[in-house]
Amino acid sequence: MATMRERARWARRRSKRYVNNFGLVRGLWFTFRDRPRATGEVELEWPGYAQPFRIRFGGSDLRTFIHVIAERGYEFPFDLQPKVIVDAGANVGFSAAYFATRYPAASIVAMEPDPGNFRLLCANTFGYARVLPIQAALWEHPGTVNLVDPGQGAWAFRVEGIESFSHSQRDGMNSVQAIDIPTLLTTFGLETIDLLKLDVEGAEREILSSAEPWIDKVSAIAVELHDRFQPGCTDAFEKATAAFTQRTTRGEDTFVALPF
């Protein structure tokens, strides 16, 4: 009974959020259509964006769209005019499209390891010439990592290192390419990263624990920390960004920047 009540409360909150952002008629339609385990996709236009967005039903796409696009979840609280943006954990491309629209002069490297998400990332950023999608995971070193589906939807795919596993154990893994920041800088001829966005479901611990060689090339970071998945994420972030004195938190996102 408690579970049913919790589900009903969750459904009411979701419906209210949909109605608030899409209006009564469309909001109720999305509430009905975007049921758990629903299938199919829809095109959704939004004012100010160069092309419609492709959104899957039955998962987290629509809620992510509301957070990133409708509610401008990555609106940076500091005066920032980035020329180079690395979007790690780009998912289906909402954040990359937001950055491309908000900062039209910026070049954006959008990284996403999951094939299904990457397909929509490419579709949702096709009209933005300065967005470069890459099917890879950001990690502490180049190589391969294991892509893990914890069963919580396409937004929650996580990666883990494979070094501690035997070769026989690796045979059943979903291995994907991994790239670290130094390799990214060298490959694309970048001297600095003006904005690094991290939404990598716990991999920020490994990425930021080995940040000393490159952190001085980054000017600002937007991150969602996932200590609930990987203890130590916040500690690694605080140590790596000690020099980033401009700080604020909004919802689950933390924004830091070097002093201007």
Side-chain angles (χ1 to χ4, degrees):
M1 184 66 71
T3 300
M4 292 181 64
R5 286 198 296 266
E6 290 171 1
R7 289 177 178 173
R9 284 196 295 268
W10 179 85
R12 285 196 296 270
R13 289 195 299 268
R14 183 185 61 163
S15 179
K16 181 179 180 181
R17 197 176 183 196
Y18 287 1
V19 169
N20 286 343
N21 284 280
F22 301 118
L24 179 61
V25 175
R26 282 211 305 171
L28 291 177
W29 184 83
F30 277 128
T31 300
F32 172 78
R33 189 65 183 82
D34 195 38
R35 303 183 306 277
R37 295 181 295 279
T39 58
E41 296 180 5
V42 67
E43 275 196 354
L44 179 57
E45 294 185 351
W46 198 255
Y49 285 85
Q51 64 178 63
F53 293 93
R54 297 296 304 178
I55 295 176
R56 297 169 296 197
F57 289 126
S60 59
D61 284 7
L62 197 54
R63 280 166 283 151
T64 304
F65 175 88
I66 290 173
H67 169 63
V68 176
I69 301 297
E71 297 177 349
R72 300 189 301 276
Y74 284 113
E75 184 74 35
F76 227 79
F78 315 120
D79 184 17
L80 194 68
Q81 293 299 323
K83 299 298 183 184
V84 175
I85 299 173
V86 172
D87 183 350
N91 194 253
V92 299
F94 300 146
S95 51
Y98 170 78
F99 290 136
T101 303
R102 176 68 178 83
Y103 306 112
S107 297
I108 301 162
V109 178
M111 304 178 65
E112 172 56 43
D114 174 66
N117 289 342
F118 184 74
R119 174 183 67 85
L120 285 186
L121 165 62
C122 293
N124 285 328
T125 60
F126 180 79
Y128 302 95
R130 300 184 73 86
V131 175
L132 176 63
I134 297 177
Q135 189 176 351
L138 189 64
W139 192 240
E140 61 182 322
H141 55 72
T144 58
V145 290
N146 182 34
L147 183 65
V148 180
D149 179 3
Q152 298 174 337
W155 63 273
F157 284 106
R158 301 200 287 270
V159 297
E160 61 182 11
I162 63 174
E163 293 82 1
S164 60
F165 295 90
S166 67
H167 287 287
S168 60
Q169 289 174 315
R170 296 179 191 181
D171 290 340
M173 290 183 174
N174 185 13
S175 297
V176 296
Q177 182 184 10
I179 301 175
D180 62 357
I181 292 289
T183 301
L184 202 66
L185 293 169
T186 300
T187 300
F188 296 103
L190 304 175
E191 295 183 1
T192 59
I193 297 172
D194 300 310
L195 172 56
L196 173 63
K197 173 250 177 179
L198 292 173
D199 189 358
V200 289
E201 305 303 317
E204 64 269 20
R205 186 186 70 175
E206 282 74 18
I207 294 167
L208 294 169
S209 292
S210 57
E212 186 175 354
W214 53 262
I215 194 67
D216 62 343
K217 300 181 185 299
V218 178
S219 299
I221 300 174
V223 62
E224 181 178 341
L225 296 166
H226 297 88
D227 290 86
R228 63 189 183 277
F229 300 149
Q230 191 71 279
C233 290
T234 298
D235 184 58
F237 172 72
E238 294 297 336
K239 289 179 179 178
T241 63
F244 291 67
T245 55
Q246 298 191 90
R247 294 174 171 260
T248 190
T249 299
R250 188 171 63 236
E252 295 183 331
D253 299 310
T254 298
F255 303 85
V256 298
L258 292 173
F260 294 119

